[in-house]
Amino acid sequence: MSAKDRFLFYSDFNCPFCFALNERILVMGDSAKVAWRGIEHMPAASSQKSTLVDQTQLINEVAVVRKRAPEITLVTPPFRPSTRFANQLLFALSDCESHALSHLRTLIYRAYWQLGRDISDIAVLQELCQDAGLSYPAQIDAGAASDALDVWQGQWAGERFHSRLPAMVAEKTDKALLGFPTFDLLSSFFAGSDMPDVPESLASCEMKPKQSVLLVGDGVEARCDVTELKAAYQVDYVKSDSAAQQWLSEQSCIPDLILIDTHILAERAFKLCSQLRSNRVYRTTAVIMLLDAPDAERELAAFDAGATDVMFDLSNPKVCQARLDMHLRMKRSSSLLSTLARVDYLTELPNRREYDRKLEDEWLLGRRAATELSVVLIDIDHFKNYNDNYGHSMGDDCLRQVARAMVQCLHRPGDMLARYGGEEFVAVLPGTPLKGAVLVAQAMVDAVRNQAIPHAFSSAAEVVTISAGVSTQIPDTQSIPLQLGQRADKALYEAKDNGRNRVKSHV
């Protein structure tokens, strides 16, 4: 097979997503089509120093893979090893027969993700080489391997994938696949079939290996010893409150924890804390105030300004790590719970609660600006028959495929598709007139029908189809958002009564 017919897969032994996808590729028998590129999403990982943060992230990653690929057996390893040696070994053996090399790669994955072995141990790698029927190289050119690995690392961290796993590229067609796809989507990718790009809302894993910590204050490095934190977190320093504001405005990601030292900043530290809390962007960020000494009055002032906690002495690295670790774990748990509360588990679309919030917000904005707001209510035709005859597992996969098809029809950042409940979905289209909303709804109907998911028990068509009802209004003080949804629901029933697999509107 020529290189142009191959698929590039960016692979990391630290990531269970890679293991699960590797297993699926083996099941499909397409492993020979893959040109693997070894990368590291946690270059600082070391089996000699496993922190609570590492273990927590491992547990979370394994839980997500178990949810998405229950047929793959995984254990939670006791540590996260450096994968540099394993990647250098595979690079050194890259000229070997592809089946043996693929077998070695699988053995390395299984050694870590199923047996919990240390794949940074040379003895373990030598044993796995022998099991794969390969000879361990007498000498590995670490320099050449590292240069190639660094190039691949740069490609994976570039604009196309932003350090997310798994990431695949078809070299011949330049198609990209991001996220953890369904088996059907993965099969289509390897077959070279036309398929939609996986939307951001369905991407499986946006790896942010290190939480971000910002320390504010001239001389804060001396008063806050973060030696123990640097391996696990991204730590940045700024000297003043104005520098902090500038730094924050330049970041694409919100820091998980901000520590403000009052020693030099004095009252400006309290003002900065208050400004952060008044900005909804930073309301969930942990803000710690570092005071010179215990002082009840200043402690109360810090809490009044919105501080998450008040500390006095973080000069001991162990104490600093323990205190800040606690807040970062709480921040991570809070973020996870917040996400779970807003996302539908099955389709990974926003859920009914998030739809209600979005509709209310857009209603108020539309009333203020006197702009049209449209709602599209969607129902999968004869979905009960589909479930009863094909099984609930196939029904779940059908829901996911329908969601992917419909979300591709939304092209504006303000538009939102949510799962309304059961087999019903709803789209909120701010600033969209009725004609434009009908076009979007029709595009969804066409996209779902064109997927050609067989449905022999539907009176609407031989494939899975949807019906859609559209309603549009300029929000005013005489009506409420609920009425807009009710009119869309009435239009949906008209679409069903007229044969389904179509769009109806109601003003």
Side-chain angles (χ1 to χ4, degrees):
M1 180 177 293
S2 65
K4 68 178 181 178
D5 295 321
R6 286 188 172 183
F7 299 89
L8 289 179
F9 174 49
Y10 289 86
S11 164
D12 173 24
F13 299 113
N14 275 339
C15 183
F17 292 101
C18 295
F19 174 69
L21 186 53
N22 188 43
E23 289 283 283
R24 289 192 170 196
I25 291 171
L26 288 175
V27 170
M28 292 169 60
D30 284 324
S31 59
K33 296 181 181 180
V34 180
W36 300 82
R37 295 290 182 259
I39 52 86
E40 299 173 288
H41 84 254
M42 290 199 72
S46 169
S47 57
Q48 307 302 317
K49 188 178 181 181
S50 182
T51 67
L52 182 59
V53 173
D54 295 333
Q55 197 63 22
T56 302
Q57 189 180 46
L58 276 171
I59 292 170
N60 290 339
E61 290 177 6
V62 170
V64 172
V65 175
R66 284 173 176 163
K67 180 186 77 173
R68 297 189 179 224
E71 73 278 12
I72 304 297
T73 302
L74 288 178
V75 300
T76 303
F79 50 79
R80 192 188 287 279
S82 168
T83 62
R84 199 70 174 181
F85 296 123
N87 280 326
Q88 288 177 353
L89 170 63
L90 290 168
F91 180 85
L93 295 172
S94 57
D95 291 334
C96 294
E97 193 267 323
S98 61
H99 179 75
L101 196 59
S102 177
H103 184 42
L104 173 60
R105 185 178 295 103
T106 303
L107 289 176
I108 295 174
Y109 276 117
R110 288 176 175 166
Y112 180 56
W113 287 111
Q114 292 185 337
L115 303 176
R117 303 184 69 182
D118 185 357
I119 58 172
S120 66
D121 186 335
I122 299 299
V124 171
L125 294 176
Q126 290 174 335
E127 178 186 332
L128 296 176
C129 259
Q130 183 177 357
D131 291 344
L134 296 170
S135 299
Y136 192 87
Q139 185 175 1
I140 294 178
D141 188 345
S146 294
D147 289 344
L149 293 175
D150 289 342
V151 170
W152 299 340
Q153 191 87 11
Q155 293 172 347
W156 174 63
E159 289 297 319
R160 198 164 196 184
F161 293 110
H162 296 284
S163 302
R164 284 167 288 191
L165 285 169
M168 302 182 73
V169 180
E171 288 190 322
K172 186 175 182 180
T173 60
D174 199 36
K175 284 184 182 179
L177 183 66
L178 173 64
F180 198 87
T182 63
F183 191 84
D184 290 340
L185 185 57
L186 187 60
S187 299
S188 298
F189 179 82
F190 274 93
S193 305
D194 290 334
M195 63 178 194
D197 293 331
V198 179
E200 287 291 316
S201 60
L202 295 178
S204 68
C205 121
E206 183 171 350
M207 286 297 176
K208 186 182 178 185
K210 291 186 179 183
Q211 286 181 285
S212 173
V213 177
L214 175 65
L215 304 181
V216 183
D218 195 3
V220 68
E221 300 99 318
R223 287 171 37 79
C224 182
D225 192 332
V226 294
T227 304
E228 300 286 337
L229 291 168
K230 287 183 177 178
Y233 305 115
Q234 174 64 44
V235 181
D236 292 283
Y237 303 88
V238 291
K239 292 186 176 182
S240 67
D241 52 327
S242 59
Q245 295 281 19
Q246 181 178 350
W247 186 91
L248 290 168
S249 68
E250 294 172 351
Q251 304 306 305
S252 59
C253 296
I254 302 168
D256 298 283
L257 185 148
I258 301 174
L259 187 141
I260 307 172
D261 186 4
T262 65
H263 184 65
I264 300 296
L265 293 178
E267 297 308 313
R268 286 179 295 154
F270 296 89
K271 183 178 179 181
L272 174 60
C273 180
S274 180
Q275 289 172 340
L276 291 171
R277 282 295 181 246
S278 65
N279 187 335
R280 64 180 298 177
V281 173
Y282 303 107
R283 285 180 185 172
T284 61
T285 299
V287 180
I288 311 299
M289 298 289 284
L290 182 60
L291 304 183
D292 289 329
D295 183 323
E297 185 175 339
R298 289 177 69 77
E299 284 185 63
L300 287 173
F303 286 120
D304 286 342
T308 308
D309 199 0
V310 176
M311 300 179 187
F312 309 104
D313 183 10
L314 294 175
S315 58
N316 183 300
K318 296 291 185 183
V319 172
C320 183
Q321 179 178 15
R323 298 296 299 272
L324 299 189
D325 256 346
M326 174 186 67
H327 285 287
L328 286 162
R329 288 198 305 273
M330 292 172 62
K331 171 63 170 62
R332 187 162 53 247
S333 298
S334 175
S335 298
L336 178 60
L337 289 173
S338 176
T339 299
L340 292 175
R342 293 183 286 107
V343 175
D344 174 62
Y345 177 87
L346 181 65
T347 63
E348 295 190 7
L349 292 174
N351 59 18
R352 171 69 179 272
R353 177 185 298 176
E354 188 66 5
Y355 157 71
D356 289 338
R357 182 204 62 78
K358 172 76 169 177
L359 182 61
E360 182 72 27
D361 288 349
E362 295 299 343
W363 181 271
L364 294 175
L365 290 172
R367 192 172 69 186
R368 184 183 309 158
T371 55
E372 291 169 299
L373 175 63
S374 294
V375 166
V376 182
L377 194 59
I378 304 132
D379 186 81
I380 301 178
D381 296 327
H382 299 296
F383 187 70
K384 184 179 184 303
N385 292 346
Y386 189 95
N387 259 342
D388 290 345
N389 290 278
Y390 293 101
H392 288 280
S393 178
M394 289 288 288
D396 288 347
D397 198 51
C398 175
L399 285 169
R400 285 188 285 263
Q401 292 183 67
V402 168
R404 276 198 302 273
M406 292 192 297
V407 83
Q408 290 295 317
C409 301
L410 303 182
H411 304 293
R412 301 184 309 170
D415 296 343
M416 186 185 80
L417 177 70
R419 188 179 181 191
Y420 195 71
E423 67 271 24
E424 288 188 316
F425 299 84
V426 62
V428 181
L429 309 175
T432 304
L434 181 61
K435 183 178 179 180
V438 169
L439 288 175
V440 171
Q442 187 62 54
M444 290 180 175
V445 170
D446 295 341
V448 171
R449 184 176 57 247
N450 291 340
Q451 281 194 313
I453 304 170
H455 190 350
F457 305 93
S458 171
S459 63
E462 295 180 350
V463 296
V464 170
T465 58
I466 60 173
S467 300
V470 182
S471 181
T472 302
Q473 180 182 344
I474 297 178
D476 55 45
T477 56
Q478 283 72 50
S479 53
I480 58 176
L482 177 63
Q483 293 170 329
L484 182 62
Q486 289 174 337
R487 288 194 294 274
D489 192 41
K490 183 176 181 180
L492 174 60
Y493 274 97
E494 290 178 6
K496 291 181 178 181
D497 290 341
N498 282 271
R500 305 177 188 259
N501 187 25
R502 66 194 65 234
V503 177
K504 289 293 182 177
S505 61
H506 195 291
V507 293

